């Protein structure tokens, strides 16, 4: 049914008609077909900051200083000016419209990083219910750091990583969590995941998942650590048994000859060399073993089957490390395992990987899949929204388009699937996005695929830099007559005159207002070209 482009007509239609039960929000979002950021102010006069993103509730714009030392927070406002004429639209905007502070008001500037630390510009997690924000600062990486104290060989070390919990309302730092000589993937929130008030931080270097709780008071409280130990009293239990075993071994040692050797090693070296696998690795290996054991029902063939399927690959399973983690709910984690090389690679698509579902309460592995498993892919295809776990208090994040809630996204996925030559490679490519990075997508209605279609190679809801183009990006209405509703063009109005440097663009869309920023920058440390797109 054709809907009028006239906003007044649509408001009148809303007054006299009632939407179907459960569709009121979707009907209200159709107003974004009328309210669009159709006007652009090019090359706005703005401070030379690193613009990160709008918070999911749209209250704040988060930025960092160029030296990666300071946090600058703005409040989105709106351009306002007076006009004496009856039709103000025919006149040019006043000169103050070219200024950044006509659209945003600076609230404060806070120094987060110490002298030898720098703010990670790609890390930012927002807790909407309390308007808390989590930022990270770190020292430089040491790539050839020795693997000591249980560290994984091949994983770099960072002398100090500090997570800062800050109240965005006034910029007060409420609490800090520090990791020394560790490594956490901070870029695009890869190593940290927030679910409600629970925070998971993955120590890649020491293979530990730190579970913290963010209290309403603004404190970061340690809940549990999953890695070497799974239960809170595992370490106590092992240490108490080790002490009793040492006492028993000392008694036996007095009875042995001085040069007694066992298994090719001096007896006093047995305890230092004979170490346990980590608790999470023990859980994983036992789950894999039980699964293979139960696959073969013939007792006469079972031993040979287990030898072929389990013991032949035993060392490969032992060498797996934790890559990434996300919450599925308050009790279950989705953990991605793989090789050390794959964990440190920028593109892990070509490395073998496995997924495990871990119950934190029972400390059990409840499911295990390879990254080519059709069963896991079908669950991801049909129930994608369950993997995009959001906080219960967040209203804006519930309408992000996916192939499980949008027929248009599902049709795109079907087209890609039909073009692929290898089903296994397609499944691996799709499952490479699991676990989902926390808060990596924009909730802007202009990325709602039931309202608009656009070239996802140039722009999408995913928070990533993209190669810039001199052509404007078109947002086309899904409904008839499928016209171009508005365009977003990064960079100068007439196109870039300098084609020598590689230009990249990023787009910051407000979650509810017809307001967006396009930032174009080169790989060199030149000032960015910032355009403001808004509804005039």
């Amino acid at each position: 049914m054709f809907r009028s482009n006239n906003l007044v007509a649509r408001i009148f239609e809303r007054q006299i008609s009632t939407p179907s039960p459960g569709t009121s929000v979707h009907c209200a979002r159709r107003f974004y077909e009328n309210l669009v950021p159709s006007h652009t102010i090019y090359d706005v006069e703005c401070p030379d900051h690193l613009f990160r993103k709008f918070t999911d509730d749209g209250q704040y714009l988060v930025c960092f200083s160029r030296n990666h030392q300071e946090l600058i927070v703005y409040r989105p406002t709106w351009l306002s000016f007076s006009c004496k004429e009856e039709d103000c639209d025919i006149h040019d905007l006043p000169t103050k419209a070219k200024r950044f502070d006509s659209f945003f008001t600076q609230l404060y500037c806070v120094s987060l990083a110490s002298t030898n630390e720098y703010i990670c510009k790609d890390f930012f997690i927002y807790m909407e219910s309390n308007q808390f924000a989590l930022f990270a600062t770190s020292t430089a990486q040491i790539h050839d750091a020795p693997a000591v104290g249980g560290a994984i060989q091949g994983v770099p070390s960072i002398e100090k990583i500090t997570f800062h919990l800050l109240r965005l309302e006034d910029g007060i730092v409420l609490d800090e969590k520090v990791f020394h000589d560790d490594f956490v993937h901070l870029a695009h929130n890869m190593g940290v995941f927030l679910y409600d008030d629970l925070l998971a931080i993955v120590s890649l270097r020491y293979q530990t998942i730190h579970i913290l709780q963010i209290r309403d008071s603004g404190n970061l409280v340690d809940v549990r650590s999953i890695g070497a130990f799974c239960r809170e009293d595992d370490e106590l239990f092992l240490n108490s048994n080790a002490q009793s075993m040492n006492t028993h071994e000392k008694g036996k040692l007095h009875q042995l000859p001085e040069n007694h050797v066992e298994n090719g090693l001096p007896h006093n070296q047995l305890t230092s060399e004979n170490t346990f696998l980590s608790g999470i690795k023990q859980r994983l290996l036992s789950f894999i073993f039980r699964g293979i054991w139960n696959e073969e029902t013939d007792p006469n063939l079972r031993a040979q089957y287990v030898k072929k399927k389990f013991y032949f690959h035993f060392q490969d399973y032992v060498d797996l490390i934790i890559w990434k983690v996300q919450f599925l709910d308050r009790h279950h984690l989705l953990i991605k395992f793989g090789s050390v090389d794959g964990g440190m690679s920028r593109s892990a698509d070509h490395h073998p990987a496995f997924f495990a579902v871990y119950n934190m309460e029972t400390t059990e592995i409840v499911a295990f899949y390879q990254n080519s498993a059709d069963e896991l892919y079908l669950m991801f295809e049909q129930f994608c929204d369950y993997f995009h776990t959001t906080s219960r208090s967040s209203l804006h994040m519930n309408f992000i388009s996916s192939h499980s809630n949008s027929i248009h996204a599902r049709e795109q996925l079907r087209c890609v699937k039909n073009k692929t030559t290898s089903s296994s490679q397609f499944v691996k490519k799709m499952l490479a996005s699991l676990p989902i990075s926390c808060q990596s997508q924009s909730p802007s209605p202009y990325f709602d695929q039931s309202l608009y279609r656009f070239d996802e190679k140039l722009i999408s809801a995913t928070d990533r830099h993209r190669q810039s183009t001199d052509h404007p990006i078109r947002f086309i209405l899904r409904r008839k007559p499928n016209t171009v509703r508005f365009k977003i063009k990064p960079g100068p109005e007439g196109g870039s005159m300098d084609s020598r440097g590689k230009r990249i663009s990023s787009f910051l869309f407000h979650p509810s207002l017809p307001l967006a920023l396009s930032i174009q920058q080169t790989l060199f440390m030149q000032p960015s070209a910032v355009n403001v797109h808004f509804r005039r």
Side-chain angles (χ1 to χ4, degrees):
M1 179 180 177
F2 182 79
R3 301 186 187 93
S4 173
N5 282 332
N6 188 292
L7 187 60
V8 176
R10 297 197 68 166
I11 294 175
F12 181 70
E13 180 188 357
R14 184 178 65 177
Q15 289 179 323
I16 63 175
S17 62
T18 302
S20 302
T23 64
S24 58
V25 176
H26 294 281
C27 291
R29 285 171 69 85
R30 291 175 186 161
F31 275 86
Y32 287 105
E33 295 176 339
N34 300 84
L35 302 171
V36 298
S38 55
H39 190 81
T40 300
I41 299 179
Y42 293 92
D43 203 10
V44 174
E45 300 172 8
C46 65
D48 188 20
H49 294 333
L50 300 170
F51 298 94
R52 180 62 182 93
K53 67 181 294 186
F54 289 100
T55 55
D56 292 338
D57 57 7
Q59 295 293 318
Y60 307 98
L61 173 65
V62 175
C63 310
F64 304 119
S65 61
R66 277 284 178 181
N67 61 2
H68 298 83
Q69 296 288 310
E70 296 172 327
L71 163 71
I72 306 103
V73 175
Y74 290 89
R75 174 87 68 186
T77 53
W78 203 261
L79 176 66
S80 61
F81 61 95
S82 60
C83 178
K84 297 180 180 180
E85 306 293 334
E86 292 185 3
D87 189 2
C88 295
D89 291 340
I90 63 174
H91 294 278
D92 293 333
L93 293 173
T95 54
K96 74 171 187 176
K98 290 277 292 182
R99 298 204 308 266
F100 184 80
D101 56 11
S102 297
F103 294 89
F104 300 92
T105 302
Q106 181 174 327
L107 299 181
Y108 51 82
C109 177
V110 177
S111 179
L112 283 184
S114 61
T115 306
N116 60 339
E117 284 186 288
Y118 297 94
I119 297 174
C120 178
K121 63 182 180 65
D122 294 323
F123 180 87
F124 167 63
I125 290 179
Y126 183 59
M127 190 176 181
E128 186 176 340
S129 58
N130 300 88
Q131 293 190 347
F132 292 162
L134 192 70
F135 301 95
T137 59
S138 69
T139 56
Q141 288 187 26
I142 304 173
H143 291 279
D144 54 351
V148 295
I152 300 297
Q153 184 69 42
V155 177
S157 176
I158 300 177
E159 183 182 351
K160 183 181 180 184
I161 305 171
T162 307
F163 291 95
H164 308 263
L165 184 66
L166 185 135
R167 187 168 57 212
L168 281 186
E169 182 182 4
D170 51 16
I172 300 297
V173 178
L174 303 173
D175 203 354
E176 293 180 349
K177 177 71 175 179
V178 181
F179 294 87
H180 292 284
D181 300 318
D182 210 331
F183 185 85
V184 179
H185 266 311
L186 297 176
H188 308 296
N189 308 339
M190 286 182 60
V192 183
F193 199 93
L194 176 69
Y195 180 81
D196 285 339
D197 59 344
L198 293 179
L199 192 69
I201 302 176
V202 180
S203 164
L204 205 64
R205 184 166 168 79
Y206 292 101
Q207 288 295 285
T208 303
I209 305 169
H210 300 273
I211 306 297
L212 292 83
Q213 184 182 29
I214 303 177
R215 297 285 179 85
D216 291 338
S217 59
N219 297 111
L220 292 169
V221 180
D222 292 314
V223 176
R224 58 168 56 91
S225 294
I226 304 166
F229 309 105
C230 293
R231 296 186 184 276
E232 290 83 351
D233 59 348
D234 279 354
E235 187 174 11
L236 176 64
F237 176 79
L238 290 175
N239 288 339
S240 60
N241 279 270
Q243 290 177 0
S244 61
M245 288 176 63
N246 288 338
T247 303
H248 180 67
E249 292 294 331
K250 286 180 180 179
K252 292 176 61 179
L253 190 62
H254 292 297
Q255 304 173 10
L256 293 173
E258 185 176 351
N259 295 324
H260 180 77
V261 174
E262 187 172 323
N263 292 333
L265 290 173
H267 190 276
N268 58 2
Q269 292 182 13
L270 287 175
T271 55
S272 62
E273 297 293 333
N274 193 17
T275 58
F276 285 108
L277 293 171
S278 66
I280 187 69
K281 192 67 65 65
Q282 293 271 12
R283 296 288 197 276
L284 181 64
L285 289 171
S286 62
F287 182 86
I288 296 172
F289 177 84
R290 289 197 306 270
I292 295 174
W293 178 272
N294 294 329
E295 284 179 8
E296 180 56 67
T297 56
D298 189 345
N300 297 323
L301 301 177
R302 180 173 284 165
Q304 189 66 25
Y305 186 79
V306 171
K307 180 180 179 181
K308 177 182 177 182
K309 292 287 187 177
F310 181 74
Y311 291 111
F312 184 76
H313 300 285
F314 180 80
Q315 192 58 45
D316 296 328
Y317 291 135
V318 170
D319 292 339
L320 293 176
I321 68 167
I322 298 172
W323 281 1
K324 198 176 177 184
V325 167
Q326 76 162 93
F327 283 101
L328 295 176
D329 54 38
R330 293 188 69 87
H331 305 295
H332 293 88
L333 296 173
L334 177 64
I335 307 175
K336 188 173 187 177
F337 291 90
S339 64
V340 175
D341 294 337
M344 299 312 301
S345 173
R346 288 183 176 270
S347 176
D349 299 359
H350 305 295
H351 295 270
F354 300 87
F355 299 93
V357 178
Y358 177 78
N359 188 319
M360 294 190 296
E361 301 302 321
T362 63
T363 71
E364 294 177 346
I365 302 286
V366 297
F368 182 72
Y369 305 95
Q370 197 166 353
N371 64 338
S372 58
D374 291 329
E375 182 184 356
L376 179 60
Y377 167 72
L378 289 175
M379 286 191 289
F380 180 57
E381 179 181 333
Q382 298 173 13
F383 308 103
C384 180
D385 292 345
Y386 288 91
F387 291 89
H388 288 272
T389 49
T390 60
S391 299
R392 288 172 291 185
S393 60
S394 176
L395 301 176
H396 308 85
M397 303 299 291
N398 295 328
F399 299 97
I400 293 177
S401 296
S402 70
H403 43 258
S404 63
N405 64 26
S406 169
I407 58 174
H408 307 288
R410 194 176 305 126
E411 185 62 30
Q412 287 182 357
L413 179 66
R414 189 175 295 114
C415 291
V416 175
K417 188 175 183 180
N418 292 336
K419 293 178 182 177
T420 187
T421 56
S422 171
S423 175
S424 176
Q425 290 301 318
F426 172 77
V427 170
K428 287 182 180 180
K429 183 178 180 181
M430 292 301 299
L431 295 182
S433 60
L434 292 179
I436 302 295
S437 294
C438 182
Q439 298 182 9
S440 60
Q441 292 187 298
S442 168
S444 170
Y446 301 109
F447 294 122
D448 189 337
Q449 296 198 31
S450 66
L451 301 179
Y452 293 99
R453 61 184 176 91
F454 42 85
D455 189 347
E456 292 201 49
K457 295 179 181 177
L458 302 177
I459 192 171
S460 73
T462 305
D463 178 24
R464 289 291 188 275
H465 296 290
R466 299 178 185 275
Q467 189 167 350
S468 190
T469 174
D470 289 332
H471 304 289
I473 302 169
R474 302 185 301 167
F475 285 74
I476 303 171
L477 285 175
R478 283 284 184 187
R479 66 175 178 84
K480 301 293 184 180
N482 306 120
T483 55
V484 177
R485 198 69 186 90
F486 67 97
K487 301 177 182 179
I488 297 291
K489 185 182 184 305
E493 184 173 7
S496 177
M497 301 300 293
D498 184 10
S499 59
R500 292 173 299 174
K502 184 179 179 181
R503 291 167 290 127
I504 57 174
S505 296
S506 56
F507 304 91
L508 308 182
F509 277 73
H510 194 278
S512 56
L513 297 176
L515 175 66
L517 296 178
S518 62
I519 302 105
Q520 185 185 84
Q521 54 193 348
T522 62
L523 296 181
F524 305 102
M525 293 300 292
Q526 298 177 355
S528 304
V530 180
N531 299 341
V532 177
H533 312 270
F534 68 106
R535 182 176 186 268
R536 182 171 175 178

